[in-house]
Amino acid sequence: MFSVITPTYNRENTLERVYDSLKAQTFKNFHWVIVDDASTDNTEELVYKWIKQNPELNIEYFKLPENKGKPYALNFGFDYCKEPITIIADSDDSFEPHTLSDLKAIWDTVDNSINGDRIASVWTLVKDENNQLVGEEFPKDFWQVSFKERILDLKRPTKGEKWHSWRTAILQDYKMCYNPNSFIGESATWYRINKDYDFLCLNRIHRKYWHTEDGLIHQKKSKLKTAKIKYYTSYHQLKPSTLGELIRYPHLRTLAFEFTNASFYYSDKYKKLSLWKRGLCFLLFLSKIPKRLISKI
């Protein structure tokens, strides 16, 4: 039923959270794909110990020869996800014992519903290590939603971390946005998928989010590194958008601001918006900063 994929890099100290969570699952029909992004710690020895101790857990381990980042590792691993539904479990995650059982019931309902094949992903909520909700609930429960309804028509996106399970074939078809020059936020990939498919959003908690200093969110980043992330993440969402959409929707106006702001620090000649779109982004950028031209990234 499920493939669980975990990209990892030097996380021998946190990876056991995923391992323990999977061992504790009440639903056992899953396959765990671990993609080691060229770790230099003892991750390999740890995983092979688990494979020997628990062969029934069905672990498949791959170690990449070169560190290329989370999106690349995921794209590599998607091709080895054999089950119809794939869950991305970060290497410092944990989740409730009933998670896979819940998700099976949800996906069974989806697959037996009218137009269920339009749903690419099921999104659920996240709590922190203190068992507090991270962010806020969705505006509706059991909400089948297009990108326009989920992001564009709202005054602002729903705040906080969310967790997702996906139709494997869709992840294999779309892949994560990847660039060797920089990490690209996952929102750029979800944007592409949600433009073509609906998401199903539920107000129930499955994943536990742990604050780790070396995680992607909390890592200390240089101004240039931050600019690159914002440049590519906004670029991939602005490129398919029309000029009219940029003017109309607050979310896209925010991305236009971030893209222009990042462009003062970094630009990629191979990943550029059209001249008209860059010009509009610059005007939207100016409209948001009446007191200064360049905000602090």
Side-chain angles (χ1 to χ4, degrees):
M1 177 70 185
F2 297 104
S3 288
V4 180
I5 181 170
T6 300
T8 185
Y9 176 67
N10 288 345
R11 286 296 188 87
E12 65 169 315
N13 59 325
T14 64
L15 190 59
E16 196 156 7
R17 289 181 195 147
V18 187
Y19 174 67
D20 288 341
S21 294
L22 289 173
K23 282 197 304 179
Q25 289 303 302
T26 57
F27 181 77
K28 303 295 186 182
N29 184 5
F30 63 85
H31 168 231
W32 188 19
V33 178
I34 302 172
V35 183
D36 185 342
D37 195 19
S39 293
T40 57
D41 63 3
N42 294 316
T43 295
E44 184 172 0
E45 292 82 355
L46 183 65
V47 172
Y48 279 118
K49 182 182 77 172
W50 294 339
I51 291 172
K52 185 176 180 179
Q53 289 176 344
N54 291 283
E56 72 282 358
L57 202 57
N58 198 7
I59 301 172
E60 196 164 7
Y61 174 77
F62 302 93
K63 187 167 184 177
L64 303 181
E66 182 181 353
N67 179 255
K68 293 190 175 182
K70 181 180 178 181
Y72 183 93
L74 284 171
N75 289 341
F76 175 90
F78 289 154
D79 290 336
Y80 294 92
C81 292
K82 305 169 184 176
E83 301 296 333
I85 305 299
T86 290
I87 301 167
I88 301 171
D90 287 346
S91 55
D92 56 353
D93 277 351
S94 64
F95 34 97
E96 302 295 326
H98 57 79
T99 295
L100 296 187
S101 178
D102 275 5
L103 289 173
K104 181 185 184 305
I106 293 163
W107 277 106
D108 284 347
T109 300
V110 167
D111 287 338
N112 289 314
S113 64
I114 298 174
N115 295 325
D117 58 349
R118 281 218 36 87
I119 296 176
S121 179
V122 171
W123 287 39
T124 56
L125 304 175
V126 176
K127 63 182 178 181
D128 63 21
E129 56 259 56
N130 298 314
N131 295 318
Q132 299 298 309
L133 178 67
V134 178
E136 58 191 10
E137 293 186 341
F138 296 107
K140 303 174 188 176
D141 194 16
F142 224 81
W143 185 30
Q144 182 174 344
V145 62
S146 67
F147 180 79
K148 185 174 182 297
E149 296 170 284
R150 185 177 69 91
I151 297 293
L152 298 184
D153 286 345
L154 296 180
K155 291 183 179 179
R156 58 171 179 79
T158 307
K159 292 181 180 179
E161 285 278 316
K162 302 295 183 281
W163 205 38
H164 336 99
S165 55
W166 298 87
R167 292 195 187 276
T168 302
I170 289 175
L171 288 179
Q172 291 171 339
D173 186 28
Y174 282 77
K175 302 285 191 179
M176 306 298 294
C177 292
Y178 169 74
N179 191 296
N181 295 320
S182 172
F183 173 75
I184 299 175
E186 293 175 352
S187 59
T189 302
W190 309 156
Y191 181 104
R192 292 166 54 232
I193 297 174
N194 205 185
K195 291 277 280 187
D196 296 334
Y197 293 92
D198 291 346
F199 292 168
L200 182 63
C201 304
L202 283 78
N203 286 326
R204 66 181 68 177
I205 297 173
H206 286 141
R207 174 192 174 210
K208 179 176 282 192
Y209 167 86
W210 298 79
H211 179 102
T212 51
E213 291 299 328
D214 61 343
L216 285 171
I217 294 175
H218 300 292
Q219 283 178 2
K220 290 184 178 180
K221 304 177 184 70
S222 67
K223 185 174 289 187
L224 177 59
K225 187 173 184 178
T226 301
K228 285 183 176 182
I229 293 171
K230 290 191 175 184
Y231 182 95
Y232 287 115
T233 302
S234 57
Y235 165 82
H236 281 283
Q237 295 176 76
L238 292 169
K239 189 174 186 294
S241 303
T242 66
L243 297 179
E245 288 173 334
L246 262 68
I247 295 171
R248 180 178 180 184
Y249 295 116
H251 173 73
L252 295 177
R253 294 199 298 269
T254 298
L255 289 176
F257 177 89
E258 291 186 350
F259 176 81
T260 304
N261 194 28
S263 297
F264 285 102
Y265 301 93
Y266 177 79
S267 182
D268 184 338
K269 65 180 180 180
Y270 300 107
K271 299 289 183 182
K272 277 194 173 183
L273 299 175
S274 69
L275 183 61
W276 282 104
K277 195 169 287 185
R278 292 202 309 272
L280 178 56
C281 285
F282 185 72
L283 291 176
L284 294 170
F285 170 81
L286 292 178
S287 72
K288 283 181 171 286
I289 48 170
K291 294 183 179 179
R292 57 182 180 173
L293 289 179
I294 303 175
S295 73
K296 184 179 180 181
I297 289 185

